[in-house]
Amino acid sequence: MSLLDIRVPAVLLRIDRNPFHHGTLGAVRSLGRAGVEVHVVADSAGSPVRSSRFVCQMHPPPAPGASPGDIAGTLRRVAARIARPAVLIPMDDASAVAVGRLGDELAPSFLLPQQPGALSERVADKAELVAVCAGADIPHPVTLIPESPAQAASAAWQLGLPVVAKWSRPWLVPAGTGLRSTVVVHSAQEARELFLRADEAGSRLLLQAFLPSGPDRDWFFHGYADRSGAVRGGGSGRKQRAWPRGAGLTAVGRWTPNPQVRALTERLTASLGYRGIFDLDFRRCGSTGRYHLLDFNPRPGAQFRLFADSAGLDVVRALHLDLTHRPLPDGAPRPGRTFVVENYAPLSALRPVLGGRELAWHAPDDPGPGRAMWGLWGLHVLRKVRERLGGTPPAMRTAEVRVVRQAGESHPNGPVEPAELTKLTELSDDEKASSC
């Protein structure tokens, strides 16, 4: 008998167009295996997720950049088809922000955590996060918000080059502009030129002190803050491989207890009165040893299944149990467990590991997505190659091969995977932003 109330379906909402968002598949499998009817509101074109046997139905998503009214209309149509209340789970920042704004309007049809509607938007906004961290006494990289091109250039010199440049609301950055949600800039002129594109990006430019990556410096914490505010269903993890290297999504992560990261997390969520699923990214400063919060994502992180405990509890199941007023089981943590995204770290997916491992795409009880992923990924890589080579067939030209590192990084994560040797398959910004 399932611990979850299988009378209550779940609806996963994802607005971004990343077909390789393995976190969505993780949520589908976690709930589907427990007997919950799972509906996915996301772009299914070219996505392995649609091949999962645990998907009840795929629904067309709202368009990128859709207004809150349009998003509400999409969800109302889905609710009418399901015809009973469902647990709603945003799977990207744009969805989380929209659902936070629409909470009262959606409440009759969807079950949602009870928290201030603006809170998801506040923590997802990189500029607001600066104030949030200051108020909760959470270390955060020194951040300046310029008001003019000249101030942007001056701030870059003041912080010390290189610096990290971020758009405060990355979910608003339009596709096809060449703009990235986060970049490392190496000159005052770059900072000045980036500032001039603020209107195009749809939000303010932030310049942030650069914290170099290195061994054991990149950490994350996934959790669910229940109705009482207690953090359940997650834990702290260490990023062993990232794609792109040093600044991207978690390609290989390991469940590693870290009392300092947990204490910072619990202090922050308690000070905010946060309720619901969250994913935090930290980087340890090499000189001070302090853990700095880099991002607060008010939704599941793509590798949340890393933290499935001995009772099978993860953040998605914790949300469903809590919102349907069911008790959360007290399972034992499983430190040492590893999560691997096969298309970004293929050799890591083959190596034997201690402590157990979960793959992002392949699963014995749900083989369809794993098979579909490799075929679709091959087409994706081929398209990237053709775009990079300007339409020239790959066989007629030798591709440039180079490893992309941040300043000061010297292979902190061990041997380089074959897939990490070239920028030809580098992720689009949507893929990075929605997969971390």
Side-chain angles (χ1 to χ4, degrees):
M1 180 178 178
S2 176
L3 291 172
L4 279 68
D5 188 343
I6 61 174
R7 299 170 298 176
V8 180
V11 174
L12 311 181
L13 172 64
R14 201 182 77 244
I15 295 175
D16 76 80
R17 291 300 196 256
N18 174 16
F20 297 103
H21 188 247
H22 49 274
T24 301
L25 178 60
V28 166
R29 285 172 170 167
S30 179
L31 296 170
R33 286 167 176 154
V36 174
E37 180 182 303
V38 183
H39 294 256
V40 181
V41 184
D43 185 6
S44 63
S47 174
V49 175
R50 67 186 302 174
S51 302
S52 174
R53 72 183 185 90
F54 297 112
V55 172
C56 174
Q57 188 172 355
M58 300 287 301
H59 302 265
S67 68
D70 290 338
I71 295 169
T74 296
L75 290 173
R76 280 195 295 269
R77 289 190 290 274
V78 173
R81 299 196 68 169
I82 296 174
R84 60 192 190 277
V87 171
L88 178 59
I89 309 175
M91 297 302 299
D92 62 358
D93 288 348
S95 300
V97 169
V99 169
R101 293 178 180 176
L102 297 167
D104 292 340
E105 185 175 347
L106 297 175
S109 300
F110 296 102
L111 306 181
L112 296 165
Q114 296 300 307
Q115 68 177 357
L119 188 53
S120 291
E121 187 168 0
R122 185 182 176 205
V123 297
D125 187 312
K126 311 303 182 187
E128 293 289 333
L129 187 60
V130 177
V132 166
C133 289
D137 192 25
I138 303 294
H140 186 72
V142 177
T143 303
L144 300 177
I145 306 176
E147 298 293 337
S148 69
Q151 284 188 16
S154 177
W157 284 115
Q158 181 180 340
L159 291 169
L161 294 166
V163 298
V164 177
K166 296 181 177 181
W167 299 111
S168 64
R169 299 187 170 199
W171 64 90
L172 297 180
V173 176
T177 61
L179 290 171
R180 301 280 182 164
S181 61
T182 302
V183 297
V184 177
V185 299
H186 298 272
S187 71
Q189 183 61 26
E190 286 182 60
R192 181 193 299 271
E193 292 172 355
L194 207 53
F195 181 90
L196 293 172
R197 303 187 70 181
D199 288 343
E200 189 179 356
S203 62
R204 292 181 288 176
L205 177 70
L206 283 68
L207 296 177
Q208 197 171 83
F210 177 77
L211 296 178
S213 61
D216 298 327
R217 291 190 186 176
D218 287 314
W219 293 76
F220 48 87
F221 194 102
H222 294 192
Y224 172 72
D226 67 15
R227 282 171 291 158
S228 71
V231 174
R232 307 288 301 275
S236 58
R238 183 167 59 87
K239 187 180 291 190
Q240 295 182 303
R241 292 188 186 278
W243 178 250
R245 175 179 284 272
L249 61 82
T250 299
V252 182
R254 186 178 180 85
W255 189 342
T256 308
N258 189 320
Q260 293 182 66
V261 169
R262 174 173 281 277
L264 290 170
T265 297
E266 292 179 343
R267 185 164 81 226
L268 179 59
T269 55
S271 70
L272 292 170
Y274 188 87
R275 300 292 183 270
I277 298 173
F278 60 87
D279 162 28
L280 308 183
D281 291 317
F282 293 87
R283 178 164 287 183
R284 181 173 59 83
C285 177
S287 57
T288 67
R290 302 177 78 197
Y291 291 89
H292 291 248
L293 181 67
L294 301 183
D295 287 304
F296 190 129
N297 302 303
R299 40 79 178 171
Q303 71 272 21
F304 78 89
R305 281 291 303 163
L306 171 65
F307 300 108
D309 65 18
S310 63
L313 187 69
D314 58 35
V315 296
V316 166
R317 289 187 177 186
L319 171 73
H320 195 284
L321 287 164
D322 193 43
L323 295 183
T324 56
H325 298 271
R326 294 239 170 167
L328 277 64
D330 293 318
R334 295 195 285 171
R337 196 163 184 262
T338 301
F339 185 87
V340 180
V341 186
E342 305 94 300
N343 48 323
Y344 302 126
L347 292 185
S348 295
L350 297 174
R351 295 188 185 107
V353 296
L354 298 176
R357 173 174 56 201
E358 179 154 343
L359 301 178
W361 297 106
H362 291 77
D365 64 340
D366 189 28
R371 290 196 296 260
M373 184 276 292
W374 284 119
L376 293 167
W377 184 251
L379 294 174
H380 172 77
V381 171
L382 181 61
R383 185 176 68 253
K384 292 290 186 182
V385 169
R386 286 175 173 167
E387 290 173 358
R388 184 61 59 90
L389 301 182
T392 304
M396 296 176 62
R397 182 168 169 180
T398 301
E400 177 187 6
V401 177
R402 59 193 177 115
V403 177
V404 181
R405 305 188 194 97
Q406 291 192 351
E409 184 180 9
S410 56
H411 298 291
N413 298 323
V416 179
E417 296 275 0
E420 295 174 348
L421 289 175
T422 175
K423 284 195 70 181
L424 294 177
T425 58
E426 184 176 353
L427 294 175
S428 70
D429 202 48
D430 284 345
E431 288 173 287
K432 285 190 240 179
S434 64
S435 302
C436 296

